[in-house]
Amino acid sequence: MIPITAHDALLVIDVQNDFLPGGALVVPRGDAVIPVINHLTRLPFGQQAASQDWHPHGHASFASTHGPHAPHGTWPDHCVAGTHGAELAPALDQTRVGMVIRKGRALDIDSYSAFLDNDRTTRTGLEFWLRGLGVTRVFITGLALDYCVAFTAIDAKTLGFETFVVEDACRGIAPDPAATWQALERHGIVRVRSADLAGTA
Ligand code: VGL
Ligand code: ZN
């Protein structure tokens, strides 16, 4: 059991309509993370933050931006700022979320991580918010395990936070998550399940 304390933060990555069934960039069974995350929000985390993928029209990560020869690593148009698809899932309990970080807002740079854009220099501010509030450990949940969750976890660890990824509170785009877990474990990130986390008595 891992007792959750005031120095712990829950991070909810990109639980947005476009990544759920019926959305523009579906993460298979992505909706299954919502009840697990809602349960975790009731544990005594000192802070809780959520991220939103938040792209302008014509974003560099959209295949449609590049005409008929879209480069590798582009996606269907998704999470366009201000649209229904970009909203956090209505079933997600946001009552204890104190900070929402919007990332991928620059036209030419994508941002998988909730800490740093893919140029690896532009910061979102999440690091300073967490650190300023005395957070030392982060527990990461959400979508997609193999993209935004993994990038966020690796950055969190690299920035000096003790980093945990909550397995049953994440889903990936690729059917087999084994390579992602190997990469995370190689970085010293701890894989836990929601049942491993406990309120302090
Ligand atoms: C994501 C692909 C493109 C994610 C965001 O949230 O994992 N994946 N944009
Ligand atoms: Zn995106």
Side-chain angles (χ1 to χ4, degrees):
M1 274 295 174
I2 302 172
I4 297 302
T5 78
H7 296 287
D8 296 330
L10 180 69
L11 304 187
V12 181
I13 302 302
D14 299 6
V15 181
Q16 293 168 269
N17 291 326
D18 269 345
F19 295 122
L20 299 175
L25 208 181
V26 174
V27 178
R29 296 179 299 127
D31 51 331
V33 305
I34 295 174
V36 181
I37 294 171
N38 287 348
H39 161 74
L40 292 173
T41 67
R42 290 176 205 113
L43 295 178
F45 289 99
Q47 306 298 332
Q48 301 189 19
S51 67
Q52 283 176 291
D53 215 31
W54 196 258
H55 301 313
H57 284 286
H59 191 245
S61 77
F62 296 171
S64 64
T65 301
H66 305 275
H69 303 290
H72 184 73
T74 53
W75 305 98
D77 292 23
H78 65 279
C79 297
V80 172
T83 64
H84 172 78
E87 284 168 21
L88 292 172
L92 181 71
D93 183 355
Q94 296 183 49
T95 51
R96 297 168 195 84
V97 171
M99 171 60 82
V100 177
I101 289 280
R102 290 171 170 171
K103 64 187 178 61
R105 290 178 289 124
L107 195 57
D108 295 324
I109 319 166
D110 205 2
S111 186
Y112 288 151
S113 161
F115 289 98
L116 281 169
D117 283 5
N118 289 5
D119 66 7
R120 307 279 82 205
T121 52
T122 308
R123 287 167 192 258
T124 62
L126 180 59
E127 174 194 359
F128 310 113
W129 185 76
L130 293 170
R131 236 190 264 296
L133 296 174
V135 170
T136 56
R137 300 197 300 183
V138 296
F139 292 78
I140 303 180
T141 65
L143 307 172
L145 174 69
D146 37 357
Y147 290 93
C148 291
V149 169
F151 275 67
T152 298
I154 291 168
D155 281 351
K157 179 72 183 179
T158 305
L159 291 167
F161 296 99
E162 235 184 296
T163 305
F164 301 78
V165 173
V166 188
E167 184 174 5
D168 51 324
C170 299
R171 288 290 184 284
I173 293 174
D176 184 0
T180 299
W181 286 116
Q182 273 171 23
L184 294 175
E185 283 166 1
R186 207 180 328 113
H187 279 86
I189 292 157
V190 184
R191 174 180 181 170
V192 294
R193 297 189 59 81
S194 58
D196 300 332
L197 311 186
T200 26

